[in-house]
Amino acid sequence: EKCGHRRPMHHAFGIPHIMHVFMLPPLGFMSVVVAFAAFVISVLYRRTLLLGNDFRPHVDLHGGEFTGSSYSSDSLARSLAALIQCPSVSLDSRDSSSSAGDSSSSAFDCVHDALFEKFPNAHAVLALTKVAKHSLLYEWKGSDSTLEPLLLVAHVDVVPVSAEQKTMWSHEPFGGEIVDNRVWGRGALDVKDRVVAQLAAVEALVARGVRQPKRTVYLAYGHDEEVMGYRGAGAIAKELKRRGVARLACVVDEGGAVVKGALPGLAKHMEYAAVGTSEKGYLNVRLRSTMAGGHAAWPPAQGSPVTAIGRALAAIHENPLPLRLTPPVVAMLERAVPFVSEPLRTIFANTHVFGPIVTRVFSGKSPKTAAMVRTTIAATKVLGGDKSNVVPAAAEAWLNVRVLPGEKARDAVSAIRDRVAHLGVEVDAIEDDEHHVFDPAPISPYGSDVPAWVALERAFHRTYGRDVIMAPMVMMGGTDSKHYVTMTDTVYRMGPRLTDAEISSVHGADESIGVDTLVDEARLFENFVALYCVD
């Protein structure tokens, strides 16, 4: 400064300051930055290449290998129609709403009679036990007692059709109409189609000369899956244990589907066979507010219990739980790496780096993809007040909560309490005979070293062709498989090829399935049982 020169300034925490500390000239520091960036890029790219080369789909369609028997599409359609015409609704005992359907014994007897009539050859080789009066357990005894059994799961109950919803149907909900090469009615997709497909697969194998598989196969059809399955699947699980079946090799239940457009970047001809390797936890939470009621002509300044509940619902809606990637979703993205181009290839292969980007994309793409990356909270019931001119003394709201794998149901309850603590609203999980609390299911193993996974992947390829990628996912709805998770480490939740419209019709109006889809579903189960239990 004495010579008239300024001393160079080293701004706190700035790049010049860092270079000064490490005694690096500007060009030397930039070289380090470039070298570090190159190292990071090389690591990411190496992982991308490894995943791209690691995908080994078990496609074995060559050499005239078996791809499924010839089915009578008319026979399958009529079999499903007969089941739909049995209005076997499983009603929540608290649900007093007017709805179409029949939860009496006659409706389930109708299902049983239809199965006997439509599938005589299956019943000739399967040993049937009725469990808890309405549920069905079939056993196809295997020749090798050292092999743990396979359990195929479905259910014969359906959800009701409300009086309001019935007006939205273009076909009678329980008519079982076959129109436009589709079978229409409640249960067409959830999941009487599955019962038909599995029994048809058994008959097809019998027709091929398979009187006895190597591995024992059980078919378990509960009658109350739609209301948590304790009386049906829960009772079947107890029956299996009573027989000495301590472990199952694999459980296959409803869940995913073969779909197009599941991920951005996939070629239009590629399809995803999404298989649920875990299932979100489930609970209902009650919000309750109480205060002195009174005349509506002079309402309290702070508002009524209804006001408090409204504020609580708004607080919960405006503060959703955090986004997070789970191992099944990571695996789903990694399976797509060989089939997408950059930059998606590097992003999917390196979710440990790009996870925040992926979760934001999923959360904004659709409600279904958003539910894959966070614990969801849905307000489903609001109760309060009997008269329009009376301020009620109490009000409540019910929340249906689906808990992401890796979390606990109690964590969700705590998170809800935190969001409404300032509003004076009580928060409690609902547990009684009809409402239960389930933590997320364990994550099942998958990959080329898991025989059941390999057999299922081959079955998908033999049924739907080479352009199907089978990959894990998180099952967002609840299934009967929850009652069998203590008997096996391997639970797969899968389904046939479906469109978005078909998926949206489940529990909704105009539920229906294409006859061709039903035929393919039968082939899928035939291929899987042949590969895993016969060959």
Side-chain angles (χ1 to χ4, degrees):
E1 289 183 357
K2 289 181 180 179
C3 298
H5 297 290
R6 289 188 177 183
R7 183 178 299 167
M9 295 181 66
H10 304 301
H11 299 285
F13 306 109
I15 288 178
H17 177 72
I18 294 172
M19 290 190 296
H20 174 74
V21 170
F22 288 99
M23 304 298 291
L24 290 171
L27 287 179
F29 177 77
M30 293 308 298
S31 297
V32 171
V33 171
V34 171
F36 180 73
F39 171 74
V40 171
I41 291 171
S42 69
V43 170
L44 297 181
Y45 190 62
R46 181 173 181 273
R47 177 172 172 77
T48 303
L49 287 177
L50 287 173
L51 284 173
N53 294 327
D54 185 57
F55 185 80
R56 296 288 187 272
H58 301 284
V59 180
D60 52 357
L61 297 173
H62 60 280
E65 291 195 42
F66 175 70
T67 58
S69 300
S70 295
Y71 288 84
S72 166
S73 58
D74 182 68
S75 176
L76 287 183
R78 290 182 183 278
S79 297
L80 178 55
L83 294 189
I84 291 172
Q85 290 164 5
C86 305
S88 50
V89 169
S90 187
L91 288 174
D92 186 326
S93 64
R94 289 173 176 243
D95 189 353
S96 59
S97 61
S98 174
S99 58
D102 182 3
S103 58
S104 68
S105 296
S106 61
F108 291 99
D109 291 341
C110 172
V111 170
H112 301 170
D113 293 342
L115 293 178
F116 273 110
E117 177 189 346
K118 299 296 183 181
F119 300 102
N121 294 332
H123 284 86
V125 297
L126 300 175
L128 171 62
T129 302
K130 288 189 178 182
V131 179
K133 192 175 181 181
H134 302 312
S135 291
L136 305 176
L137 176 62
Y138 291 96
E139 180 183 14
W140 198 4
K141 191 72 172 178
S143 60
D144 189 345
S145 61
T146 66
L147 296 175
E148 292 178 340
L150 166 69
L151 180 66
L152 301 178
V153 181
H155 58 90
V156 295
D157 64 310
V158 296
V159 296
V161 177
S162 68
E164 294 80 7
Q165 190 189 77
K166 188 175 180 180
T167 63
M168 305 174 188
W169 284 70
S170 56
H171 300 271
E172 180 62 33
F174 294 98
E177 298 176 40
I178 305 172
V179 179
D180 297 331
N181 204 37
R182 303 187 67 81
V183 186
W184 300 79
R186 180 62 83 222
L189 288 169
D190 187 16
V191 286
K192 290 181 176 180
D193 62 308
R194 198 177 192 88
V195 176
V196 168
Q198 290 174 359
L199 289 174
V202 171
E203 292 210 329
L205 289 168
V206 171
R208 290 176 54 205
V210 180
R211 302 294 298 180
Q212 184 180 33
K214 292 179 182 177
R215 186 189 302 274
T216 295
V217 181
Y218 288 103
L219 297 87
Y221 302 149
H223 72 278
D224 64 338
E225 188 272 346
E226 300 294 357
V227 289
M228 305 307 287
Y230 270 87
R231 301 182 190 90
I236 292 173
K238 292 177 181 177
E239 171 63 17
L240 288 170
K241 293 173 183 176
R242 187 193 67 77
R243 296 184 185 187
V245 182
R247 297 291 295 172
L248 297 164
C250 178
V251 172
V252 176
D253 201 352
E254 62 179 306
V258 179
V259 295
K260 288 187 177 181
L263 286 176
L266 281 179
K268 290 183 178 180
H269 67 280
M270 298 295 294
E271 295 181 288
Y272 235 63
V275 176
T277 53
S278 183
E279 185 172 304
K280 293 182 95 172
Y282 179 102
L283 71 154
N284 289 296
V285 173
R286 181 189 291 113
L287 308 179
R288 184 170 173 81
S289 175
T290 58
M291 61 182 69
H295 203 293
W298 44 85
Q302 73 273 27
S304 70
V306 175
T307 310
I309 292 297
R311 289 172 180 154
L313 292 175
I316 293 166
H317 178 74
E318 292 164 5
N319 296 277
L321 273 65
L323 299 168
R324 184 171 62 83
L325 285 178
T326 60
V329 174
V330 171
M332 178 181 74
L333 296 173
E334 290 178 347
R335 291 290 264 178
V337 166
F339 306 101
V340 296
S341 56
E342 296 293 355
L344 291 178
R345 179 181 289 235
T346 297
I347 292 172
F348 289 176
N350 298 279
T351 52
H352 58 291
V353 175
F354 300 108
I357 296 174
V358 174
T359 55
R360 282 198 295 273
V361 171
F362 270 56
S363 67
K365 187 173 186 289
S366 74
K368 291 184 178 69
T369 56
M372 295 174 68
V373 292
R374 70 159 35 108
T375 292
T376 58
I377 304 171
T380 55
K381 288 185 182 181
V382 179
L383 308 169
D386 297 315
K387 292 185 173 292
S388 61
N389 64 343
V390 176
V391 174
E396 65 181 55
W398 285 33
L399 309 174
N400 185 256
V401 184
R402 306 297 175 107
V403 185
L404 210 59
E407 301 172 12
K408 297 289 187 181
R410 63 173 179 269
D411 300 332
V413 177
S414 297
I416 293 169
R417 286 197 179 110
D418 290 344
R419 283 157 174 74
V420 301
H422 62 293
L423 298 172
V425 172
E426 300 172 17
V427 178
D428 294 291
I430 303 171
E431 289 191 82
D432 54 34
D433 290 342
E434 295 290 345
H435 303 93
H436 305 272
V437 175
F438 290 98
D439 281 326
I443 297 174
S444 296
Y446 47 85
S448 58
D449 58 340
V450 183
W453 182 267
V454 172
L456 187 57
E457 185 176 40
R458 285 177 171 163
F460 272 112
H461 287 142
R462 290 187 179 190
T463 304
Y464 296 107
R466 297 174 180 270
D467 295 328
V468 172
I469 309 168
M470 192 176 94
M473 72 157 195
V474 175
M475 177 66 185
M476 291 171 283
T479 69
D480 269 345
S481 66
K482 68 173 73 71
H483 296 286
Y484 305 108
V485 293
T486 60
M487 302 177 70
T488 184
D489 298 323
T490 307
V491 179
Y492 298 140
R493 305 155 184 90
M494 46 71 82
R497 175 187 281 148
L498 297 175
T499 65
D500 287 342
E502 286 172 327
I503 294 171
S504 297
S505 74
V506 174
H507 289 200
D510 275 348
E511 182 180 350
S512 66
I513 187 171
V515 175
D516 293 340
T517 300
L518 184 60
V519 171
D520 282 342
E521 188 174 10
R523 286 201 181 103
L524 177 61
F525 281 111
E526 182 186 1
N527 281 321
F528 176 61
V529 173
L531 286 161
Y532 191 56
C533 302
V534 177
D535 294 349

